[in-house]
Amino acid sequence: MIVPMKKVSLIVLEKERKDALKNLRKLGVVQLEDVQGSSDELQAFRDQNNKLAKAISLLSDTKVPKSVLKNQNSLEKEAALALAAKIVQLTEQKKNCFDRITADRNDLERLAGWGEVNPAEVAVLADKGVHISLYEIPTNKYAAIGADVKTLLVNRDKAKTRFLLLSETANADRPAGLPPEAYQVVLPQVSTKELAQSIEDNQKQIADIDAEIVSDVQYLDALKKQVPLLAKDIELENVYSGMGYEGKRSESDTEEKAASSVPLAWVTGFLPVDDVGRLQALAKEQQWGLALSDPAEDEFVPTKLKNNRLVSVIYPLTDFLDVTPGYREFDISGWFLLFFCIFFAMIFGDACYGALIALAGLLLLAKSKKGGRSLGVLVTLLGLCTMGWGIMTCSWFGIEPEKLPKPLVDLSFTPFSAAKVGTDVANTNQKILCFSLALIQLSIAHLKCMVADRKSLKFFGDMGSLFMIWGMFYVVMNMVVDSVKYPLGITENTIYVFGFPLPFVCLGVLGLGFLLNFIFANYEGSVGKSVLESVKNIISVLLGVVNQFSDIVSYIRLWAVALAGAAISQTVNTMAGPMFGKMAIFVFGILLLVFGHGLNMILNLLSVIVHGVRLNTLEFSQHLGMTWSGSKFRPFAE
């Protein structure tokens, strides 16, 4: 069930607000409303968190022997944060080294044709009145330099000619006789010899940094342990700096004014009704102001689910999917678990697959700590359900029934077993089962809606939707399963109910359901307004009837996906079969079976996520009016 919530408002003395928040966090029963705090301390915590995340990422990507990862050392909080800051600083230094190496190499490549270049020697010549500039020009253009331009040839190759341009003054204008193809080569900041040495020094520094980072991998776990602790510090400081307050004393207030004021601070949130007594006791002990009220209709209230141990095993799946019902929606955890187990079993559809899944679940249970065994229980339960369905349908690793031992065939359930009634009959009966599951699950949805709206005339609108599901079920049987066995008119196969033809009864129920839904579906206190709303949205109303049909037909995916999985299993067996006749390729046959069936199980798992989950979170939920718009209750806790 969804636990009812109370809106909480706490008022404390402004000077005691941090201690109050720590006590409230220690109690751990209130989810505080979001606040956006701002303080120097909060920013410092966030900076530390960023450095910590970067350091952990860097150490995690560092390749070291497995022995280093196993032999981890501990660190105190301050030492761990200092180490993280040091690692980030080393990373920045390493980046700067790479940047300097790149720049130096660019300069060396640019000056490669000039030999050794030293800007200090150029400066010495300038002091003596000889000003030189380095120039390059295409070799075939060198002869075009004017006779009045003073140059000194350095060297040449087929592409370029390098020369010095001589002038008597510093920063002289470019000579008119110098062709436009000539371009000046900018002198480096230091000599080419120093550039080469700089590259060597920076490479050595990078190696030293890498060695130091490798030595710090021994503290990786110690840094990871600080992440949740620092997150709690950030959470506390964010709330502390974001709390509302009034009457706060400023530094300019006089002592008389300060003495006459009582600075207060407050915080709001939501509290499960089960924990009201605990909060009241703490508020009384700490002398806080406490106000409790029911949440307003337009307030977004977090959702806390409370179910028995069996139903709670579905929580790992819903947490993985990140789906939470809204506070004012239904808790369908029990129905979700029941139908998901059925859907999972039908999609995997093989007793051997189920046994492997159940074994994996038992291994998870064996390795799980107390209080965290829900996933192991869920996997085991899904495996057992799959085994049950595989036994009923006589499916054992996709092996043909005639090749199975007779006891396994005898265990199968006749209506669904191709080994007993033939493939066509078994497939037809499985289709009928899929549509029957649709009828049951969607009927449950509308019955829950009827119970929820029992004090309103909207109850009849929900009843109309239920009647449409029932009537449309027969239409689906006629159009998808067998039009001869389930006729829409009177034939020799027509079934009579209390003297009335079943097709007419079903169509009558469908029509009555449409009428009730048309009149009462939009009821909000006025039947006339409800009818008017239906008239205004007549296209959507008519499409709603089509949706009833498509939602029921949608459940055939269970049979279709299972059929595809069985076909893959049989294909793998057919491919691997001939390999077992020769010892030389026997091993390859085993590998093919393992790979093929393993791949099939992975595909089935994806199908469960796409199809099995969809039927619960889409078709079933739509008929319940659920949008899964809730947010999981997360108390302010240690």
Side-chain angles (χ1 to χ4, degrees):
M1 71 170 187
I2 295 178
V3 178
M5 291 282 176
K6 287 289 186 180
K7 179 70 177 289
V8 177
S9 296
L10 280 175
I11 302 176
V12 300
L13 294 176
E14 195 277 332
K15 65 181 180 180
E16 297 177 356
R17 56 178 173 154
K18 181 157 283 190
D19 290 336
L21 287 176
K22 290 181 179 179
N23 287 324
L24 187 63
R25 185 173 67 175
K26 186 175 181 180
L27 184 65
V29 296
V30 179
Q31 176 171 325
L32 302 179
E33 291 190 313
D34 289 337
V35 295
Q36 298 298 324
S38 177
S39 69
D40 293 339
E41 189 172 359
L42 177 60
Q43 187 58 48
F45 280 141
R46 286 173 173 167
D47 291 341
Q48 289 175 345
N49 186 63
N50 290 335
K51 291 178 181 178
L52 190 61
K54 290 180 181 178
I56 291 173
S57 176
L58 182 66
L59 293 182
S60 299
D61 293 338
T62 302
K63 295 182 179 180
V64 295
K66 291 184 179 179
S67 58
V68 177
L69 294 175
K70 290 181 179 179
N71 300 322
Q72 293 286 300
N73 293 319
S74 60
L75 285 175
E76 295 297 328
K77 178 181 178 180
E78 295 303 323
L81 296 178
L83 176 62
K86 185 199 77 171
I87 292 173
V88 172
Q89 184 180 10
L90 289 175
T91 305
E92 291 297 323
Q93 290 178 5
K94 184 177 177 180
K95 179 179 178 298
N96 292 335
C97 287
F98 277 117
D99 290 341
R100 287 194 294 268
I101 289 173
T102 300
D104 292 345
R105 282 178 174 169
N106 288 338
D107 276 345
L108 287 179
E109 290 176 5
R110 183 170 58 86
L111 300 167
W114 288 87
E116 186 175 341
V117 177
N118 190 342
E121 293 178 353
V122 175
V124 171
L125 291 174
D127 291 339
K128 296 179 178 180
V130 180
H131 301 277
I132 64 173
S133 302
L134 282 63
Y135 272 84
E136 292 182 356
I137 191 171
T139 298
N140 59 358
K141 296 290 183 179
Y142 183 70
I145 298 176
D148 59 332
V149 179
K150 296 179 181 181
T151 63
L152 180 62
L153 179 65
V154 176
N155 61 48
R156 70 174 65 190
D157 53 37
K158 292 182 179 181
K160 294 179 181 179
T161 295
R162 298 166 188 86
F163 63 92
L164 300 178
L165 178 66
L166 308 178
S167 62
E168 297 178 355
T169 59
N171 301 319
D173 295 335
R174 182 185 178 98
L178 193 63
E181 289 83 0
Y183 58 92
Q184 185 176 2
V185 177
V186 179
L187 286 171
Q189 296 294 323
V190 295
S191 68
T192 51
K193 185 176 181 180
E194 290 174 299
L195 289 174
Q197 184 62 44
S198 174
I199 291 174
E200 184 178 341
D201 292 342
N202 280 294
Q203 287 175 334
K204 183 178 182 302
Q205 187 174 355
I206 289 173
D208 292 341
I209 291 173
D210 287 339
E212 188 168 357
I213 290 176
V214 167
S215 68
D216 290 334
V217 174
Q218 62 181 310
Y219 302 112
L220 177 59
D221 287 351
L223 296 185
K224 289 181 177 179
K225 288 179 181 179
Q226 296 301 321
V227 173
L229 302 178
L230 193 54
K232 287 300 178 184
D233 288 340
I234 292 173
E235 182 184 34
L236 179 64
E237 182 60 29
N238 180 63
V239 176
Y240 171 74
S241 59
M243 288 177 69
Y245 62 90
E246 66 178 7
K248 184 178 179 181
R249 186 172 68 248
S250 65
E251 295 179 359
S252 60
D253 287 343
T254 62
E255 290 298 325
E256 292 78 11
K257 184 177 180 181
S260 63
S261 64
V262 182
L264 300 175
W266 64 88
V267 67
T268 59
F270 295 96
L271 168 75
V273 293
D274 300 343
D275 297 314
V276 167
R278 296 175 61 192
L279 181 61
Q280 287 177 329
L282 180 63
K284 184 176 180 180
E285 176 187 338
Q286 299 294 325
Q287 296 184 328
W288 297 340
L290 173 63
L292 299 171
S293 61
D294 293 326
E297 286 294 325
D298 58 347
E299 279 188 304
F300 185 81
V301 185
T303 303
K304 181 180 180 181
L305 300 178
K306 183 179 180 181
N307 289 291
N308 58 47
R309 287 187 178 181
L310 176 60
V311 174
S312 298
V313 301
I314 196 64
Y315 291 163
L317 176 62
T318 54
D319 289 344
F320 170 74
L321 298 172
D322 194 22
V323 290
T324 304
Y327 177 69
R328 295 175 180 84
E329 294 182 341
F330 296 101
D331 176 18
I332 60 170
S333 299
W335 296 113
F336 197 121
L337 176 63
L338 172 63
F339 285 104
F340 182 74
C341 288
I342 296 173
F343 300 157
F344 187 99
M346 293 181 69
I347 288 174
F348 269 83
D350 190 282
C352 294
Y353 287 0
L356 293 174
I357 294 169
L359 179 61
L362 292 175
L363 291 175
L364 280 174
L365 273 175
K367 293 183 177 182
S368 300
K369 296 180 180 178
K370 188 176 181 180
R373 298 179 176 176
S374 294
L375 179 59
V377 174
L378 177 61
V379 174
T380 304
L381 179 61
L382 293 174
L384 293 175
C385 291
T386 304
M387 285 182 63
W389 178 252
I391 292 171
M392 291 173 64
T393 57
C394 199
S395 298
W396 302 84
F397 271 140
I399 301 173
E400 292 86 348
E402 57 270 17
K403 296 181 181 179
L404 290 171
K406 189 174 182 298
L408 295 182
V409 176
D410 293 340
L411 282 174
S412 61
F413 184 55
T414 300
F416 302 140
S417 174
K420 291 184 176 180
V421 296
T423 302
D424 292 339
V425 175
N427 284 340
T428 299
N429 290 337
Q430 289 180 32
K431 290 179 188 177
I432 294 173
L433 175 63
C434 291
F435 298 140
S436 299
L437 287 172
L439 178 66
I440 294 170
Q441 189 175 31
L442 300 183
S443 294
I444 290 171
H446 291 293
L447 287 171
K448 289 179 72 69
C449 291
M450 289 170 65
V451 172
D453 294 328
R454 63 189 179 277
K455 297 181 180 181
S456 168
L457 290 181
K458 197 172 183 179
F459 169 90
F460 295 104
D462 299 324
M463 181 185 290
S465 297
L466 179 64
F467 285 172
M468 283 197 289
I469 287 291
W470 290 352
M472 194 60 74
F473 174 77
Y474 189 86
V475 176
V476 171
M477 297 292 286
N478 168 267
M479 299 183 69
V480 181
V481 178
D482 192 336
S483 60
V484 175
K485 192 174 180 180
Y486 304 98
L488 290 178
I490 299 177
T491 68
E492 59 182 11
N493 295 313
T494 300
I495 301 173
Y496 287 82
V497 179
F498 300 113
F500 297 97
L502 182 59
F504 294 168
V505 173
C506 292
L507 293 176
V509 170
L510 178 61
L512 176 61
F514 176 79
L515 182 63
L516 289 173
N517 187 263
F518 186 86
I519 296 173
F520 297 105
N522 301 300
Y523 180 79
E524 295 291 344
S526 171
V527 175
K529 290 182 179 179
S530 178
V531 173
L532 181 60
E533 191 68 24
S534 295
V535 172
K536 288 165 57 178
N537 299 288
I538 187 62
I539 301 299
S540 298
V541 173
L542 294 175
L543 288 176
V545 180
V546 178
N547 287 338
Q548 301 277 15
F549 176 85
S550 64
D551 286 347
I552 296 176
V553 172
S554 180
Y555 282 69
I556 202 173
R557 68 182 69 234
L558 299 172
W559 168 79
V561 174
L563 188 65
I568 293 175
S569 295
Q570 293 170 4
T571 301
V572 171
N573 293 341
T574 301
M575 294 172 62
M579 297 183 182
F580 292 100
K582 300 178 181 179
M583 289 300 297
I585 56 175
F586 180 83
V587 175
F588 292 102
I590 297 294
L591 292 176
L592 178 58
L593 285 176
V594 172
F595 174 77
H597 285 289
L599 178 62
N600 194 27
M601 291 185 71
I602 293 173
L603 293 174
N604 284 337
L605 181 60
L606 294 175
S607 297
V608 166
I609 296 174
V610 173
H611 302 292
V613 170
R614 171 204 163 103
L615 292 175
N616 278 302
T617 57
L618 189 61
E619 275 83 357
F620 184 42
S621 299
Q622 280 185 343
H623 285 259
L624 282 166
M626 290 181 61
T627 60
W628 297 98
S629 58
S631 174
K632 190 175 181 180
F633 177 72
R634 292 180 174 85
F636 182 61
E638 293 182 346

